[in-house]
Amino acid sequence: QASLLESQHAQPGHMEHQRQELHRRQDEEDKHQRSLTDLRHELESRARSEMEELELLHKQHLASAVSQLESKMRDQAVLHEEERRHLEEQMKSYVFEATAAKQSLE
């Protein structure tokens, strides 16, 4: 009977110990979940920052490429204008020579 009484007295203590152990495990699980949530938020934030940085770099690269293309087009336009003037001068010279040759024949 003494051991039965001891087990009955020990049982509430044992149940209390199990309850405390359960709370401790729940607290650990909650901390673990908070840690995972914090980590996920940090990773999402980093991913957003990196995407924004990549978008900015992409926009800068595109702007640079467009600027270079515009510059090449302006250079080509200048060259074409110079060629046009040169050809125009040649045509004037040929017309002048042809007119002079025609007049000398008459």
Side-chain angles (χ1 to χ4, degrees):
Q1 283 187 349
S3 70
L4 182 60
L5 282 174
E6 286 175 12
S7 71
Q8 286 177 344
H9 286 297
Q11 196 172 14
H14 180 69
M15 302 251 317
E16 177 64 22
H17 176 73
Q18 284 182 327
R19 189 180 66 76
Q20 288 175 354
E21 183 65 20
L22 179 63
H23 281 299
R24 186 185 65 75
R25 288 182 183 171
Q26 285 176 334
D27 287 346
E28 284 180 10
E29 181 64 25
D30 289 347
K31 287 178 187 175
H32 183 67
Q33 286 297 327
R34 282 192 300 272
S35 177
L36 288 175
T37 300
D38 291 347
L39 183 58
R40 188 182 85 237
H41 289 147
E42 182 181 339
L43 290 174
E44 288 172 349
S45 177
R46 283 185 192 175
R48 272 193 304 275
S49 294
E50 288 186 18
M51 284 301 294
E52 290 168 0
E53 190 175 330
L54 283 173
E55 287 175 1
L56 179 62
L57 287 172
H58 184 64
K59 286 178 183 176
Q60 290 172 344
H61 178 73
L62 285 177
S64 174
V66 167
S67 178
Q68 289 175 0
L69 186 57
E70 288 173 340
S71 178
K72 285 181 183 178
M73 290 174 70
R74 280 191 299 274
D75 292 348
Q76 286 290 336
V78 167
L79 286 175
H80 289 176
E81 180 61 21
E82 289 173 358
E83 286 177 23
R84 189 191 65 76
R85 286 183 186 153
H86 177 70
L87 290 173
E88 195 174 82
E89 291 298 319
Q90 274 187 325
M91 287 296 291
K92 286 180 184 176
S93 175
Y94 294 150
V95 168
F96 179 76
E97 290 174 14
T99 303
K102 182 181 176 186
Q103 286 176 351
S104 71
L105 288 175
E106 293 173 352

